[in-house]
Amino acid sequence: MERLQQIASQTTASAQPPPLANHPLDPLSIQEIKAVVSIVKENYSGKNISFNVVTLKEPSRKSFIEWREKNGPRPPRLAFFVILEAGKAGVQEGVVDIGNLYLTGLKHVQGVQPILTVEDLCATESIIRKDPTVIEQCRLSGVPADEMHKVYCDPWTIGYDERWGNSRRLQQAMMYYRANEDDSQYSHPLDFVPIVDTETHEVIFIDIPSIRRPLSKQPHSNFYPADVVNKYGYRDHKPINVTQPEGVSFKMEGNVIEWENFNFHIGFNYREGIVLSDIKFNDHGKNRPIFHRMSLSEMIVPYGDPTFKHFRKHALDIGEYGAGYMTNPLSLGCDCKGVIHYLDAHFAERSGDPITIKNAICIHEEDDGILYKHSDFRDNFSTSIVTRATRLVISQIFTAANYEYCIYWNFLQDGSIRLDIKLTGILNTYVANKGEKTGPYGTQVYPHVNAHNHQHLFSLRIDPRIDGDGNSVASSDVVSDPHELGSLENPYGNGWFGKKTIYKTVAESLTHANAETSRSWDILNPNSINPYSGNPASYKIVSTQTPRLLAKENSIPSKRAPWARHAMNVVKYDEDRLYPSGVYVPQSSGDGPIGIRGWIGDGTDKIENTDVIVFHTFGISHVPAPEDFPLMPAEPITLLMRPRNFFTQNPALDIKPSYAMTTSGAKKLNGETDVSSILDKTSKLAFSNTSASFEGSCCSKK
Ligand code: ABN
Ligand code: CU
């Protein structure tokens, strides 16, 4: 349990406040981070502190909307910080009012451990390499003491281990060997797990399995060019380049973007990474709200091997390491192609110095195939309209030690928002003995390499504002008409319909996916009724990759990620309800009313026609296979938020078609086509000698 001790300490600093940010939701600038750090340092002068988090404390929904829409005052610019004080258990957190250079709300939170930063992770490898007990275990595994520089580790949080609870700040070191520094370590795991104290920099214990598995003598399984070229050479592959001769169709003012009819704010923090806020759609002059805020608020990757200490592998990567802290600097022409706009991310290091991740967020457009098309069969398809789609993509990629998570927030011209996540990188691996049976909990993906079954489950947090305030959430199932075949109501037995079940209470909202009823979920505004359909304006969550958490109820992963037990969890809005596994996730036991378990409570909160927060769980269950190794081809996960009864017709009819020919036009032109002004003139036939037999109506000029 978090124990809070309020410290009555307020401070002012003498320096000038940094320049005011463009927008209340902008991430902290370098100057703002410096100002916050100097105020905190001044408050703790003479004490040995290290910085863990310095981030924007966002204004509440109400104060933001009052400023944005009702001429209210601009919300104060606040920063939230977390620091560690040497020799003191727990963390100290507080808030700095940046405009007034004023520190307030200082708390000493005990019985918790803070997020692991990249600096914390990096320190662990040099600690284990020097430790005599680790050196001895390496020797027993087949790595001589003079090869300790070839020993690597992926430092994971310890999950939760009853032996230490959260009394010390711990990491478990997943051990590997690289014969050469350019080799992939994941084909050469070691079988023991040192436990390292992040603060004292010592190895406090080594978990050693009862069955020993020596280091593999196989060659490394590598994927960098020198090895691949040696083995196979590269395929013949012609480049595909993207040209946007007239530039982009989006405009940016600081972090506010306007694209097609969408407008919204792009934020970023150490934890959730990309945060999209104030998302609106300009419906022919009426700027209609859709979502107040949207982010990936948590994830869990629970592994399924019940032996040894593998149960501890259930990374809550967002709360334990931070999708922001682990984000990659992106590179032009590789991570994103075309005409790109990047935003940088700024954090504070342990010392408090600001650090910048260049090109952390990529903003660009991509061709998205066909948006809509229709041709008339009566005149041999001469009457035809085809409109190509473009999508706007806001993306980031973060590395969670072995895995990469590529996050794409796609905005579509029909008002939909599609979240795509591509999973790539490298499987977490464990060593297998010769002839060892790795099933049913794992797969041998390379000789002596056991890749354990695991799930990747994400919690999408949506703070909805569908056509304004006062929203409800419903399950939407398609069901067969209950009336019997031959009955008066359903004489031919073909009847079926969509059934909505609006959640009145939190308990009712805790629902699973149901493929049999094509279940989706509607977020709707009962106060905004579509004049044609008579149905409330809504956005439908269409999400079909929705496995259940496979760890048993009351298991440690299940207790630490209570949100993962259901595909849908809806709670009442409160500005502090951000992180469903709690604020301080590392080494949390999952006991008590932490995070969403506390917000759900006894489930009786009323959630109809009010401000709600939706936590949607989605992801995949991953049974590894050799094709996933040594580097996994990206596996896609996708979900769609679609307007339903929100507009009075296809909202994308105002996109210029690539080709349009009416019936009368086709007659007049006597077969001549009318190529519209935005036809892509760089498209051409692949094999010109076969072109005659391959003429389509759009591009062929006879
Ligand atoms: N996948 C667990 C993890 C994430 C980040 C850093 C280390 C380990
Ligand atoms: Cu996986």
Side-chain angles (χ1 to χ4, degrees):
M1 265 288 269
E2 294 174 19
R3 275 180 289 135
L4 305 181
Q5 184 191 329
Q6 186 83 33
I7 299 173
S9 168
Q10 293 179 336
T11 291
T12 52
S14 41
Q16 283 296 306
L20 186 63
N22 281 335
H23 188 282
L25 299 177
D26 283 356
L28 296 186
S29 66
I30 290 178
Q31 292 103 310
E32 287 177 316
I33 292 172
K34 283 184 177 165
V36 174
V37 165
S38 91
I39 290 171
V40 176
K41 279 187 174 167
E42 191 173 305
N43 191 69
Y44 282 87
S45 75
K47 298 200 172 128
N48 182 3
I49 60 166
S50 51
F51 287 82
N52 179 257
V53 170
V54 177
T55 194
L56 175 72
K57 179 171 165 49
E58 291 178 27
S60 71
R61 173 181 160 123
K62 184 162 179 279
S63 62
F64 177 80
I65 292 171
E66 271 175 11
W67 167 77
R68 174 83 166 87
E69 292 174 12
K70 301 177 187 163
N71 249 338
R74 184 175 162 139
R77 190 87 177 138
L78 304 177
F80 173 73
F81 68 85
V82 177
I83 55 165
L84 295 164
E85 195 179 332
K88 234 179 177 175
V91 301
Q92 326 244 1
E93 60 168 51
V95 172
V96 170
D97 179 334
I98 299 174
N100 296 307
L101 297 176
Y102 186 72
L103 189 154
T104 180
L106 205 52
K107 282 177 198 159
H108 184 189
V109 189
Q110 298 198 56
V112 300
Q113 291 298 346
I115 200 162
L116 283 176
T117 65
V118 175
E119 274 174 290
D120 295 329
L121 300 174
C122 288
T124 305
E125 208 155 68
S126 50
I127 298 169
I128 53 117
R129 280 182 182 165
K130 284 193 268 211
D131 183 86
T133 57
V134 175
I135 295 171
E136 173 59 6
Q137 285 307 315
C138 287
R139 190 188 65 76
L140 291 173
S141 295
V143 183
D146 62 355
E147 289 200 1
M148 284 308 290
H149 60 289
K150 299 182 177 178
V151 170
Y152 290 77
C153 77
D154 278 4
W156 288 44
T157 59
I158 193 165
Y160 184 76
D161 189 316
E162 293 95 337
R163 289 174 292 178
W164 300 282
N166 51 32
S167 61
R168 311 175 68 157
R169 195 163 177 236
L170 299 177
Q171 298 178 41
Q172 51 178 334
M174 307 300 182
M175 303 290 293
Y176 302 94
Y177 174 80
R178 290 187 201 174
N180 177 298
E181 67 176 343
D182 291 339
D183 285 332
S184 169
Q185 67 201 30
Y186 296 96
S187 59
H188 287 68
L190 300 175
D191 70 346
F192 58 94
V193 185
I195 311 295
V196 176
D197 186 313
T198 311
E199 295 308 305
T200 62
H201 287 190
E202 32 169 9
V203 174
I204 64 159
F205 197 81
I206 303 184
D207 279 312
I208 299 168
S210 52
I211 300 168
R212 297 308 302 256
R213 295 168 177 87
L215 175 67
S216 159
K217 293 203 164 48
Q218 287 286 318
H220 282 261
S221 180
N222 292 330
F223 45 82
Y224 277 100
D227 289 275
V228 177
V229 167
N230 243 344
K231 204 168 172 189
Y232 302 119
Y234 280 122
R235 297 178 200 182
D236 179 29
H237 168 76
K238 306 280 186 282
I240 294 182
N241 294 323
V242 178
T243 59
Q244 291 171 266
E246 292 171 40
V248 297
S249 305
F250 59 84
K251 280 193 232 136
M252 293 213 62
E253 256 192 64
N255 288 51
V256 174
I257 188 164
E258 210 180 293
W259 176 81
E260 301 274 337
N261 295 340
F262 277 111
N263 51 94
F264 56 96
H265 180 273
I266 304 171
F268 194 88
N269 66 48
Y270 74 103
R271 186 162 178 151
E272 299 154 287
I274 291 172
V275 176
L276 303 176
S277 302
D278 196 27
I279 304 173
K280 293 186 168 139
F281 192 93
N282 190 334
D283 187 5
H284 305 289
K286 190 170 172 217
N287 204 17
R288 299 171 70 187
I290 307 172
F291 298 111
H292 175 62
R293 189 181 190 278
M294 203 151 49
S295 67
L296 285 175
S297 63
E298 193 49 273
M299 57 182 283
I300 186 166
V301 187
Y303 283 73
D305 186 322
T307 65
F308 186 42
K309 297 288 180 190
H310 302 308
F311 78 93
R312 280 194 315 226
K313 293 197 296 186
H314 56 271
L316 289 130
D317 295 279
I318 290 178
E320 290 184 325
Y321 313 92
Y325 275 162
M326 298 184 298
T327 214
N328 291 197
L330 301 175
S331 52
L332 197 60
C334 309
D335 296 305
C336 311
K337 282 168 82 100
V339 181
I340 311 291
H341 180 65
Y342 289 115
L343 297 174
D344 298 341
H346 311 295
F347 306 120
E349 287 185 326
R350 204 176 160 102
S351 63
D353 290 344
I355 173 183
T356 295
I357 312 282
K358 288 293 292 172
N359 301 349
I361 308 175
C362 168
I363 302 163
H364 79 303
E365 293 163 293
E366 287 193 3
D367 181 272
D368 201 27
I370 283 181
L371 180 58
Y372 45 77
K373 173 175 172 107
H374 179 65
S375 304
D376 198 327
F377 64 87
R378 290 170 189 81
D379 58 2
N380 202 17
F381 312 107
S382 295
T383 303
S384 185
I385 183 165
V386 55
T387 302
R388 286 198 72 82
T390 301
R391 67 176 190 273
L392 174 74
V393 193
I394 318 292
S395 62
Q396 72 164 116
I397 300 176
F398 65 90
T399 298
N402 50 311
Y403 264 112
E404 262 68 25
Y405 294 96
C406 315
I407 312 292
Y408 303 95
W409 296 91
N410 300 286
F411 287 76
L412 311 187
Q413 288 161 311
D414 66 357
S416 302
I417 300 173
R418 193 178 78 219
L419 173 60
D420 292 335
I421 301 182
K422 283 187 171 179
L423 261 69
T424 177
I426 312 182
L427 295 164
N428 169 268
T429 53
Y430 192 63
V431 54
N433 274 331
K434 190 167 190 316
E436 181 178 343
K437 182 170 159 279
T438 54
Y441 305 114
T443 307
Q444 181 167 291
V445 292
Y446 183 72
H448 298 288
V449 179
N450 182 359
H452 293 147
N453 302 341
H454 57 279
Q455 299 188 282
H456 300 262
L457 300 176
F458 301 85
S459 179
L460 169 64
R461 181 185 185 277
I462 306 173
D463 179 347
R465 226 182 143 218
I466 308 297
D467 220 9
D469 298 322
N471 283 188
S472 303
V473 184
S475 304
S476 178
D477 298 279
V478 289
V479 294
S480 181
D481 192 309
H483 297 102
E484 292 300 317
L485 172 77
S487 66
L488 209 57
E489 296 86 351
N490 194 15
Y492 299 99
N494 63 309
W496 67 271
F497 51 86
K499 183 177 159 204
K500 281 197 202 323
T501 312
I502 294 189
Y503 307 137
K504 295 192 181 58
T505 62
V506 170
E508 287 178 15
S509 79
L510 306 178
T511 48
H512 297 292
N514 188 347
E516 273 183 32
T517 62
S518 306
R519 176 166 293 169
S520 56
W521 292 270
D522 286 354
I523 309 176
L524 56 100
N525 189 332
N527 315 299
S528 166
I529 302 299
N530 188 294
Y532 292 175
S533 67
N535 291 324
S538 72
Y539 262 68
K540 176 182 281 302
I541 304 175
V542 183
S543 177
T544 53
Q545 289 167 290
T546 44
R548 290 201 191 186
L549 176 67
L550 295 165
K552 294 263 190 280
E553 199 169 347
N554 288 323
S555 62
I556 294 173
S558 167
K559 287 199 295 180
R560 301 185 72 211
W563 48 270
R565 295 219 67 79
H566 292 98
M568 180 54 64
N569 309 261
V570 185
V571 296
K572 271 177 98 82
Y573 172 85
D574 182 276
E575 68 173 304
D576 293 329
R577 293 182 170 180
L578 287 167
Y579 308 127
S581 281
V583 177
Y584 296 103
V585 181
Q587 296 172 246
S588 67
S589 65
D591 292 323
I594 295 271
I596 205 167
R597 189 174 307 107
W599 311 335
I600 290 172
D602 64 3
T604 55
D605 273 357
K606 304 266 188 294
I607 51 165
E608 245 187 310
N609 195 6
T610 184
D611 292 347
V612 294
I613 312 175
V614 170
F615 290 90
H616 170 54
T617 309
F618 66 98
I620 55 164
S621 302
H622 188 175
V623 177
E627 289 88 342
D628 299 338
F629 201 70
L631 182 60
M632 196 174 121
E635 173 144 2
I637 304 179
T638 188
L639 68 82
L640 189 62
M641 289 163 270
R642 281 190 89 190
R644 300 270 85 191
N645 302 292
F646 192 90
F647 299 107
T648 48
Q649 63 168 3
N650 174 351
L653 286 183
D654 55 354
I655 310 291
K656 203 186 246 179
S658 302
Y659 178 81
M661 177 62 71
T662 58
T663 304
S664 64
K667 277 183 193 150
K668 261 193 255 149
L669 288 168
N670 193 22
E672 286 286 309
T673 55
D674 171 18
V675 180
S676 92
S677 62
I678 64 158
L679 182 66
D680 168 14
K681 299 191 181 68
T682 63
S683 291
K684 57 183 182 189
L685 297 173
F687 306 106
S688 48
N689 54 344
T690 58
S691 63
S693 60
F694 199 70
E695 284 179 346
S697 60
C698 162
C699 303
S700 65
K701 264 200 168 255
K702 286 188 192 142

